[in-house]
Amino acid sequence: MMKKCLIAAALLAVPLPALADKLEDLQKQGYVRIAIGNEPPYTAVASDGKVSGAAPDVARAVFEKLGIKDLEASIAEYGAMIPSLQAGRVDAITAGLFMKPERCNAVAYSEPILCDAEALLVPKGNPKGFNSYADIANDASARLGAPGGGTEEKLALDAGVPRDRLVVVPDPQSGLKMVQDGRIDAYSLPVLSLNDLLAKSGDANLEVFAPVEGAPVYCDGAAFNKKDTALRDAFDVELAKLKESGEFAAIVEPYGFSAAAAMSTTRDALCAAQ
């Protein structure tokens, strides 16, 4: 009787996630729930609801190798993605969520997948001459648009752009419209996102300035709950195989991303960067 009690006590002392194999659960479930933006070419949702973009396409390929056939995507603002992951509402984030030390402390990232630099969408000719976030901070009349909770918002605030001149923009199409209407003087996203947005708009009165001076180049990875490091590790094994086989390059390069850039750095290096 005493032995049974000791076993029961030991089981209760082990956190519940440790008793469950997340990968096995997802394999039985047949799909993985992911958080995405709707920011081509990182992520995209077609009119029929099909999820694509470089990040989900890589994730789909990796999860298929792990025996999970489908992705179930939820669109979220960047600032809401990590809380959603931590609360267990999604199993992973595959959305161009760049690695930063504070994010690395909050989630378990895979090895790098997509790399990019920051850019500004501005009126043709860049009439205010913005080359950096500091230029915007130093222009007392300038208003900058950026995603709420995103890297661009933090970089702008760190460069001295006052909160009352930093407009939180819910999605890329809204940012484009706000620049067109003169409600903001510039809209900031990564280079590839703004190039895609501008190309689809066909607006010859706008242009993309890139890269933003003084802003670092970032890489993302698939992000997992901190308690799911075994799932992250399994993801990394299959991701490495994709990179080695050339399948990774075949997925990301048509979207304009450099496979070599992602393969030239590591999660540890990016998470340690200041």
Side-chain angles (χ1 to χ4, degrees), residues 235-253:
F235 186 97
D236 272 345
V237 169
E238 296 303 329
L239 177 61
K241 292 177 184 177
L242 287 183
K243 289 178 176 179
E244 185 176 350
S245 71
E247 189 176 347
F248 176 74
I251 294 171
V252 303
E253 290 185 350

Side-chain angles (χ1 to χ4, degrees), residues 90-258:
V90 295
D91 305 304
I93 301 169
T94 62
L97 191 70
F98 293 141
M99 293 187 208
K100 300 286 286 181
E102 62 271 19
R103 288 176 177 168
C104 294
N105 290 331
V107 302
Y109 272 110
S110 72
E111 289 295 333
I113 295 176
L114 306 176
C115 299
D116 203 357
E118 299 297 344
L120 298 172
L121 181 68
V122 294
K124 188 73 174 178
N126 193 5
K128 285 183 172 274
F130 295 145
N131 295 326
S132 66
Y133 295 117
D135 289 341
I136 297 170
N138 293 332
D139 183 335
S141 67
R143 289 168 62 81
L144 173 69
T151 298
E152 296 79 15
E153 180 185 49
K154 184 177 188 305
L155 287 170
L157 290 170
D158 288 348
V161 178
R163 171 57 70 183
D164 63 358
R165 292 199 281 114
L166 185 55
V167 180
V168 173
V169 178
D171 56 72
Q173 292 72 28
S174 297
L176 174 77
K177 186 71 165 58
M178 292 171 78
V179 177
Q180 289 171 327
D181 293 345
R183 294 166 58 195
I184 56 177
D185 300 288
Y187 176 47
S188 187
L189 281 178
V191 178
L192 289 168
S193 298
L194 286 186
N195 282 342
D196 181 84
L197 182 67
L198 183 57
K200 288 177 178 175
S201 76
D203 191 337
N205 295 313
L206 300 178
E207 68 179 48
V208 174
F209 174 84
V212 175
E213 293 179 2
V217 174
Y218 290 115
C219 299
D220 84 335
F224 298 88
N225 194 299
K226 280 284 193 179
K227 71 174 187 270
D228 295 332
T229 53
L231 175 61
R232 187 275 311 276
D233 292 345
F235 186 97
D236 272 345
V237 169
E238 296 303 329
L239 177 61
K241 292 177 184 177
L242 287 183
K243 289 178 176 179
E244 185 176 350
S245 71
E247 189 176 347
F248 176 74
I251 294 171
V252 303
E253 290 185 350
Y255 285 105
F257 292 97
S258 166

